[in-house]
Amino acid sequence: MNTNRFKIFLQSLGFLEIASEKLKEDTFTYTIDAGQNKFEVNYVYTPTNEGIFQTHLKYWNINNVNFFIAVGDHETHIINAKEKPDRILSEKIKIHSFDYGVNSEGFEKEKIREISKEYIDASYFFDFVIKNKKSKHEVDKDLLLNLIALRNDLLTGKNEDIVHLMILRCLFLKYLEDNGIYDRDYLVNILKTHDPQKLIKAFDEITKINGDIFKFDRFTGNEIEPIYLEKLFQFFSSDYLSKQLPLFPYQFDRIPIQLISHVYEAFLKSEEKKGKGIYYTPSFIVNFMLSQILREKLEGKKEVTILDPAVGSGAFLVESFRMILKSYKGDIDYYKKKEILQNQLFGIDIDKHALQIATFSLYLALIETENPEFIRQQIENSHPILPSLIGRNLIEANALTDNVFENKIFDCIVSNPPWGSVQDTDDPENQKERKAIEIRGKIGAISEYKNVSNYERSQAFLLRVKKWGNENTVFSMIVKNSIFLNENAAVFRKDLLNAYQLNYFYELSNYNKILFKKRVIGKINNKDIEIGATEPCVVLVFEQSRQKENIIKYISPKLNDFSENFECIHFTQKDINEIEQNRFLVDDLLWRVLVNGDYEDYVLIKEKFSISNQIIIKCKSGIKPSKNMVPIGEPDFRDLIEPNHFVRYRLVKKQKQFNLNQKMERSRDKEIFEGERILFPVRPLKSDNYRLRGIRIDNNAIHKHNISCIRLKKNNNYVDDYLPYLALINSRLIGYYLYHISPQWDKGEEKRDYLRNIDIENLPIPVLDNENKDANQLSSFVKEIEVEKDIQRRAKIERKIDNVVFALYNLLDYEKEMINEFYQIKVERTGKRKYVNQSDLSDYIKNFTDTFELMLADSYTLKVTYNISANVGAVVCFTIIDQHEIADPYEDNSLEILNFVKRKQLQQAEISKILNEDKVKIYNEKFFYIIKSNLFKDWTRRQAIKDAKEEIGLLLSRLPETHEA
């Protein structure tokens, strides 16, 4: 390699001081911050396509690198490291290409500025990568697909256990081979003989170093047929599904151990156990959860004990093991590592195969940093160097019902326990769990389950883990979010709040896309292979000690391009609420409001939506046809209204005829299809802009279960005039209210994002009659908009309706601003417009200054400068000056404080998988800075007033106390 030319190329990009030791072989790594853990960008000199392919293969297997920059002689590419590599360097692999390389003549910085140091430092580079990234084809999904294809080819009916065992052992051998413990092609050379006895002999060699990976299963050569070895040979010597020879795309010395284990656990699950899909805890969430509890514990002592009561493939224990090893800073030998495995890491699982996989994972973690020659010698000399774990600290048991680790207390308890209700099946374990929960408080019962609702395992696990902790234990659990939203779990939530001190509550509904969202990852034999689940989740961090005035930090992060592509939890000031734990005990509604709102939204809903003279609302969805309907009498043809037939207030499409007299999956009384009523779709669409889409009809048309019908009663009689009520139903105010109190809207998928009848029936709608001036105005506007076709004029009428509705509910200006801000952020400022601009900052600065100057003497004012980053931040700088020095706010690109703070936040994202863009304030004698994200939601007019009041409060708190004589 021409190191000197590569160095010149890098210097031309702004990396002027490149020490020789930073050029490792053909790679230069630029570190954004020089901390112990780093956010890195890799430049790799790869003059040939084969070189790019091999580098790509390495990073793809590592699975924690999103991209790398492949520098050639005359061209340079940004490569998508998450897309499966191919030798032809297809366009889907290249994020972007530049016609410039190390041997190019001359240099024009503008041609290649996107990969310059300047762009990386300012975060423009990351924005550029995100915008141009085309796809993902990650190694775990690919390995899972290939394993399933292999299994399907091997299964004959009754050989499932043999096939699974054989594949797991071969994976272990391949791991040892790739790590240099066995010679290259050790496994494929055995497999291509098609001799089962040779494979058995290789397995027996492994047993010499002891351990539990083969503990539960034994088989003879008679159970392994030569055809099995033929298929295994194809798998370990080629890309099995694509049949590319000779290419085995997986490098087990590079693939993260947790990933191999996760994939194998998912692969092992039978159709019965899969339920609605395969899912496992993503590695970045494992790191995120452990960073919340274990990192701090290790700062105090190294002998921290960790329990996972639903251990599965051992992901949490593997990462815990690594964090413990890291705390020793290299001062630890092999035998001490074995002690840590046996004495500090504990797990429980009902499935013995899961324990095998967890053991497999921990053994790989144990030997991954050891000299291959050392391990090879132990095998050759039959030294039992792998510690026994199963039955000692990995226990086969049901954590919900069995007595296990009695009287043992752990420092950290972390888990992703099973989700969903315990099914009423013949399975003995299910029956045992249901019995433990249903006998509730009776003699001999498990008392902590007395208020578990619907046999929900997540609830039971949260309450059960208390038995393994004390006041010094910290817990982190990931569970489905519905147990904090459903009304029938309200008593459980009180039990939880009384049992623990909740420190952090991360509501991750918005992260379901990169967590557990069900999706098709490929096809095998024309059958879709799905992974994931439909439920969103939450992560709780809590402890057993209970401070009376404990404050819960409730964080509801919103997924953005950065967090999706770089896999970290990203939140800003507006996503954080700090609320007394006792408030949740007083009012359970808080759980629901905070998913999408803040404490001010909760206060507004409680104060302005408590209407005593409510209209009684009856809400029912329509008929549900079946696939093969049979007539049950004379035909009764009616117009059938579908959701796409209408917009708010107005029918826009002609209806088709439908025979109501048929046997259906669900029929309805014909009276709900008669008289005046309001219809709306039960599943809000993005185009509805977070409002109900209601229409008023008075004929006998019918609707299906995807539309609900509202009938209104006053004094036990149906109302005569629906006009003003339709205006109210369609208003921004009701959309805002319903979005914040509904546990369904925008919080899940499939059935879970349908609006519930109970929430509609509890809408706080006052009586509106002809004597009410506001009601008459609303009726007039509805008549006008029902016939208006022009979109702009309709929007203008809707704004008038909203203003009347605001007055009807006696909203203050600040409360109106809250609702308008909600629609700004959710509807008007989405996509590219979600970022703050100069005009927004001017509004922010004006509102901040107007509020803050109430504290200043008339002779003083604020001087303001600002800077907006293209990707991860914005800063405003304030200083108090004399009035005669007044100047308009202006942009100051020299505010380096922004880059300094953002680099620190990016570094923390790499360490803990949290990009916390909470507000940062920095003070010196002359200036104070407010640094936040570059998202519009953090720089609204309302945020300006809140920030200014906060600064005023700080000033007042610093005033000296005065005492009257």
Side-chain angles (χ1 to χ4, degrees):
M1 183 194 97
N2 191 334
T3 303
N4 192 50
R5 294 292 299 172
F6 186 34
K7 185 182 289 188
I8 293 171
F9 175 88
L10 294 167
Q11 289 173 340
S12 67
L13 292 176
F15 303 105
L16 299 177
E17 297 179 5
I18 301 175
S20 297
E21 59 268 20
K22 286 190 176 182
L23 275 177
K24 295 179 180 178
E25 296 180 357
D26 55 1
T27 301
F28 168 70
T29 299
Y30 177 55
T31 305
I32 294 177
D33 198 299
Q36 183 179 355
N37 292 275
K38 307 168 183 70
F39 198 84
E40 299 175 338
V41 179
N42 294 308
Y43 294 77
V44 187
Y45 177 64
T46 49
T48 66
N49 279 7
E50 180 63 22
I52 296 175
F53 170 73
Q54 293 298 334
T55 304
H56 189 178
L57 196 63
K58 175 183 75 173
Y59 285 133
W60 183 68
N61 276 275
I62 290 171
N63 200 50
N64 63 1
V65 175
N66 285 276
F67 56 85
F68 68 95
I69 299 167
V71 181
D73 288 335
H74 297 284
E75 58 183 6
T76 296
H77 310 282
I78 304 175
I79 301 295
N80 181 358
K82 290 287 187 177
E83 179 62 33
K84 189 172 183 178
D86 64 45
R87 283 192 162 90
I88 62 173
L89 200 61
S90 62
E91 288 303 312
K92 67 180 178 180
I93 286 171
K94 293 183 287 188
I95 294 174
H96 195 74
S97 296
F98 306 91
D99 294 328
Y100 187 87
V102 300
N103 292 329
S104 298
E105 294 296 327
F107 179 72
E108 294 180 41
K109 191 174 182 179
E110 290 302 307
K111 290 184 177 180
I112 203 163
R113 61 181 178 176
E114 287 83 3
I115 60 173
S116 68
K117 180 179 182 296
E118 177 187 354
Y119 263 52
I120 293 173
D121 285 345
S123 299
Y124 290 100
F125 170 76
F126 302 105
D127 193 41
F128 179 79
V129 168
I130 290 167
K131 287 178 180 176
N132 289 279
K133 203 169 181 180
K134 300 176 181 69
S135 60
K136 273 187 178 183
H137 189 169
E138 295 181 88
V139 65
D140 56 337
K141 317 300 187 299
D142 194 78
L143 178 56
L144 178 58
L145 285 170
N146 276 283
L147 282 171
I148 292 172
L150 173 65
R151 179 186 64 191
N152 291 353
D153 289 346
L154 289 172
L155 290 179
T156 60
K158 296 183 179 181
N159 65 343
E160 185 176 32
D161 286 343
I162 296 168
V163 167
H164 288 168
L165 173 61
M166 205 168 43
I167 294 173
L168 179 61
R169 292 189 177 191
C170 285
L171 288 173
F172 192 69
L173 285 176
K174 184 62 178 171
Y175 179 87
L176 297 177
E177 177 190 313
D178 282 357
N179 278 274
I181 295 165
Y182 286 120
D183 292 337
R184 186 175 179 180
D185 295 333
Y186 171 80
L187 178 59
V188 295
N189 286 335
I190 293 171
L191 294 173
K192 71 182 180 182
T193 67
H194 298 176
D195 184 348
Q197 292 301 327
K198 289 186 178 180
L199 187 59
I200 293 290
K201 184 180 178 181
F203 292 157
D204 289 342
E205 284 291 306
I206 298 301
T207 62
K208 292 178 181 179
I209 55 175
N210 204 359
D212 302 322
I213 189 170
F214 305 149
K215 186 181 184 86
F216 295 117
D217 303 286
R218 290 283 183 269
F219 52 60
T220 66
N222 295 331
E223 294 171 302
I224 300 178
E225 299 178 16
I227 187 65
Y228 297 171
L229 274 71
E230 182 181 332
K231 293 294 182 183
L232 286 165
F233 172 75
Q234 292 174 15
F235 180 87
F236 286 103
S237 61
S238 68
D239 192 350
Y240 193 74
L241 274 173
S242 67
K243 307 302 181 187
Q244 288 187 47
L245 290 168
L247 172 64
F248 183 66
Y250 314 112
Q251 301 174 337
F252 288 111
D253 56 334
R254 301 188 188 279
I255 297 178
I257 291 165
Q258 299 101 310
L259 187 145
I260 301 173
S261 306
H262 276 328
V263 167
Y264 194 77
E265 181 189 23
F267 154 76
L268 257 186
K269 293 178 180 178
S270 66
E271 290 299 321
E272 180 183 352
K273 289 182 181 177
K274 288 178 196 171
K276 294 183 178 179
I278 306 166
Y279 62 96
Y280 44 82
T281 318
S283 294
F284 84 95
I285 284 293
V286 172
N287 294 334
F288 164 70
M289 291 172 65
L290 287 172
S291 74
Q292 302 283 295
I293 61 172
L294 182 55
R295 196 177 302 279
E296 186 175 343
K297 284 282 186 182
L298 287 171
E299 291 174 1
K301 66 174 184 177
K302 293 181 173 61
E303 295 75 29
V304 178
T305 55
I306 301 102
L307 169 69
D308 184 345
V311 72
S313 61
F316 288 107
L317 296 188
V318 168
E319 191 55 36
S320 297
F321 180 61
R322 285 174 165 165
M323 289 177 69
I324 294 170
L325 296 188
K326 193 171 186 179
S327 72
Y328 282 88
K329 299 180 180 178
D331 185 20
I332 185 171
D333 62 22
Y334 184 81
Y335 300 99
K336 179 62 178 176
K337 294 176 188 177
K338 286 168 59 178
E339 288 181 23
I340 293 170
L341 283 190
Q342 289 189 309
N343 300 324
Q344 292 182 237
L345 305 172
F346 298 82
I348 306 169
D349 207 286
I350 199 171
D351 185 352
K352 67 179 183 180
H353 293 299
L355 295 180
Q356 279 182 299
I357 302 166
T359 305
F360 169 85
S361 307
L362 290 168
Y363 286 164
L364 299 189
L366 174 64
I367 65 178
E368 70 175 340
T369 57
E370 293 302 316
N371 187 316
E373 184 60 32
F374 168 73
I375 303 298
R376 188 184 301 115
Q377 287 178 2
Q378 308 311 305
I379 295 173
E380 289 176 357
N381 295 297
S382 302
H383 289 164
I385 61 166
L386 295 180
S388 182
L389 304 178
I390 295 176
R392 176 187 171 112
N393 52 320
L394 297 181
I395 305 298
E396 181 187 357
N398 189 326
L400 292 181
T401 60
D402 297 338
N403 292 321
V404 58
F405 296 131
E406 285 294 286
N407 303 316
K408 187 167 181 61
I409 300 299
F410 299 91
D411 296 305
C412 298
I413 297 176
V414 59
S415 192
N416 178 4
W419 297 5
S421 299
V422 184
Q423 298 301 306
D424 188 8
T425 67
D426 294 334
D427 181 86
E429 293 298 336
N430 279 359
Q431 290 299 319
K432 189 162 65 170
E433 289 179 22
R434 286 180 69 87
K435 184 177 180 182
I437 294 171
E438 72 187 359
I439 57 180
R440 306 175 183 277
K442 295 181 181 178
I443 296 174
I446 298 174
S447 60
E448 61 254 44
Y449 302 148
K450 65 181 180 180
N451 290 318
V452 168
S453 62
N454 298 332
Y455 300 97
E456 172 54 59
R457 283 192 174 101
S458 290
Q459 296 178 31
F461 263 95
L462 281 171
L463 299 173
R464 180 67 159 175
V465 293
K466 186 178 180 182
K467 70 174 291 188
W468 296 297
N470 62 16
E471 66 276 4
N472 297 314
T473 304
V474 288
F475 305 79
S476 184
M477 308 279 281
I478 183 168
V479 295
K480 67 178 188 176
N481 79 335
S482 59
I483 63 176
F484 293 96
L485 302 176
N486 294 341
E487 286 89 344
N488 58 10
V491 182
F492 151 76
R493 292 192 282 275
K494 284 185 167 55
D495 278 358
L496 185 75
L497 291 167
N498 285 319
Y500 302 110
Q501 172 177 297
L502 270 63
N503 297 325
Y504 292 91
F505 186 95
Y506 293 95
E507 214 293 334
L508 300 178
S509 297
N510 291 287
Y511 275 68
N512 208 34
K513 181 178 180 181
I514 62 171
L515 289 173
F516 305 114
K517 183 179 179 180
K518 183 183 287 187
R519 60 196 182 278
V520 174
I521 60 169
K523 287 181 179 289
I524 296 176
N525 297 329
N526 292 320
K527 181 181 178 182
D528 287 340
I529 303 298
E530 286 186 332
I531 64 169
T534 56
E535 290 263 14
C537 66
V538 300
V539 168
L540 293 88
V541 179
F542 55 98
E543 49 191 301
Q544 231 163 283
S545 58
R546 178 77 159 81
Q547 297 178 13
K548 188 176 181 182
E549 304 300 327
N550 180 55
I551 302 295
I552 299 176
K553 206 161 189 178
Y554 187 112
I555 302 172
S556 183
K558 307 303 184 282
L559 185 68
N560 61 16
D561 292 338
F562 188 93
S563 54
E564 180 180 348
N565 282 275
F566 296 97
E567 293 189 330
C568 64
I569 304 298
H570 173 262
F571 52 88
T572 74
Q573 175 198 11
K574 193 169 175 61
D575 303 320
I576 304 170
N577 288 280
E578 296 185 4
I579 300 174
E580 291 181 16
Q581 184 161 328
N582 289 335
R583 290 297 311 165
F584 290 87
L585 282 166
V586 172
D587 191 354
D588 195 71
L589 178 65
L590 255 175
W591 294 111
R592 282 185 276 161
V593 174
L594 292 180
V595 174
N596 291 303
D598 58 24
Y599 192 73
E600 286 189 303
D601 293 307
Y602 164 76
V603 171
L604 174 59
I605 286 169
K606 293 296 289 185
E607 290 184 356
K608 294 298 174 77
F609 292 86
S610 299
I611 296 174
S612 57
N613 60 334
Q614 283 179 304
I615 284 286
I616 296 172
I617 305 172
K618 297 294 182 183
C619 180
K620 285 187 177 180
S621 57
I623 60 173
K624 189 172 184 180
S626 56
K627 289 183 179 179
N628 300 306
M629 291 181 291
V630 178
I632 54 176
E634 289 294 319
D636 181 7
F637 285 102
R638 309 273 190 101
D639 285 343
L640 175 66
I641 296 181
E642 297 276 16
N644 64 341
H645 289 160
F646 59 96
V647 296
R648 268 192 302 276
Y649 297 104
R650 185 168 173 270
L651 279 166
V652 292
K653 286 187 179 180
K654 185 176 176 64
Q655 296 79 59
K656 294 180 180 179
Q657 292 279 293
F658 183 90
N659 179 13
L660 190 57
N661 276 350
Q662 299 181 78
K663 189 174 183 179
M664 289 176 264
E665 187 173 328
R666 187 183 69 206
S667 57
R668 287 294 188 195
D669 292 337
K670 292 185 178 180
E671 67 173 18
I672 78 162
F673 303 124
E674 297 169 355
E676 192 164 15
R677 57 203 187 275
I678 293 171
L679 304 182
F680 68 92
V682 300
R683 187 177 190 178
L685 301 178
K686 188 174 182 179
S687 57
D688 292 325
N689 293 332
Y690 296 93
R691 286 199 265 182
L692 293 183
R693 179 167 26 117
I695 188 169
R696 180 178 61 102
I697 65 169
D698 57 7
N699 56 26
N700 65 352
I702 61 174
H703 59 276
K704 294 191 289 190
H705 62 290
N706 55 358
I707 290 177
S708 279
C709 166
I710 294 177
R711 305 289 295 276
L712 306 175
K713 279 190 172 184
K714 179 178 66 177
N715 300 327
N716 292 322
N717 295 315
Y718 286 115
V719 300
D720 297 325
D721 184 6
Y722 275 72
L723 286 168
Y725 296 106
L726 178 60
L728 196 53
I729 291 291
N730 282 339
S731 71
R732 279 187 166 198
L733 183 138
I734 290 298
Y736 163 88
Y737 168 83
L738 191 58
Y739 181 74
H740 282 90
I741 64 95
S742 171
Q744 303 290 94
W745 196 343
D746 215 22
K747 300 178 182 71
E749 298 168 24
E750 298 177 357
K751 292 186 294 184
R752 291 180 178 82
D753 62 1
Y754 284 24
L755 296 176
R756 304 181 310 166
N757 288 351
I758 188 172
D759 293 320
I760 302 299
E761 291 181 340
N762 287 327
L763 285 175
I765 294 181
V767 172
L768 300 174
D769 52 36
N770 294 333
E771 298 177 3
N772 185 302
K773 177 184 175 183
D774 292 330
N776 290 329
Q777 268 194 297
L778 292 175
S779 296
S780 174
F781 288 142
V782 170
K783 289 177 182 177
E784 189 178 346
I785 201 171
E786 283 182 329
V787 296
E788 179 60 65
K789 295 181 180 180
D790 183 81
I791 294 176
Q792 291 184 341
R793 284 197 286 269
R794 288 174 63 84
K796 190 174 182 180
I797 298 169
E798 287 199 292
R799 285 194 292 272
K800 292 179 181 178
I801 289 173
D802 287 333
N803 288 333
V804 175
V805 172
F806 288 164
L808 185 66
Y809 283 78
N810 299 312
L811 262 59
L812 303 175
D813 287 343
Y814 185 76
E815 293 165 336
K816 297 175 189 175
E817 184 64 30
M818 284 176 61
I819 296 175
N820 287 329
E821 180 185 292
F822 166 78
Y823 282 98
Q824 273 187 302
I825 294 168
K826 300 294 289 186
V827 179
E828 299 164 21
R829 299 298 295 268
T830 58
K832 293 182 179 179
R833 298 194 69 235
K834 67 185 175 185
Y835 298 106
V836 68
N837 57 41
Q838 290 186 2
S839 175
D840 300 323
L841 274 189
S842 294
D843 279 352
Y844 173 91
I845 290 166
K846 181 181 184 306
N847 283 275
F848 184 101
T849 304
D850 288 348
T851 305
F852 189 86
E853 286 184 345
L854 296 174
M855 283 291 297
L856 298 179
D858 292 341
S859 58
Y860 291 100
T861 186
L862 287 177
K863 175 186 174 184
V864 189
T865 59
Y866 60 88
N867 189 10
I868 304 173
S869 163
N871 195 47
V872 288
V875 58
V876 177
C877 177
F878 298 93
T879 185
I880 298 173
I881 60 172
D882 290 331
Q883 277 280 4
H884 68 269
E885 299 175 10
I886 192 167
D888 292 334
Y890 64 90
E891 187 169 14
D892 183 357
N893 292 322
S894 67
L895 290 175
E896 266 300 312
I897 192 75
L898 176 61
N899 284 337
F900 173 79
V901 170
K902 292 306 166 183
R903 286 194 202 109
K904 288 290 184 185
Q905 290 175 340
L906 286 170
Q907 178 198 7
Q908 186 63 30
E910 190 65 10
I911 297 171
S912 61
K913 294 302 178 183
I914 301 171
L915 179 54
N916 179 358
E917 285 201 88
D918 192 7
K919 178 170 60 180
V920 174
K921 298 190 295 182
I922 299 175
Y923 301 88
N924 66 23
E925 292 181 0
K926 295 182 178 180
F927 307 98
F928 70 92
Y929 302 88
I930 294 178
I931 303 168
K932 297 193 275 189
S933 78
N934 65 346
L935 299 174
F936 166 75
K937 66 179 183 177
D938 285 328
W939 299 98
T940 63
R941 296 174 185 177
R942 188 166 69 98
Q943 290 298 320
I945 296 169
K946 290 173 70 173
D947 288 346
K949 287 181 176 179
E950 184 177 301
E951 295 307 314
I952 291 170
L954 286 173
L955 282 174
L956 292 175
S957 69
R958 293 173 185 149
L959 293 177
E961 293 185 12
T962 57
H963 302 279
E964 293 185 12

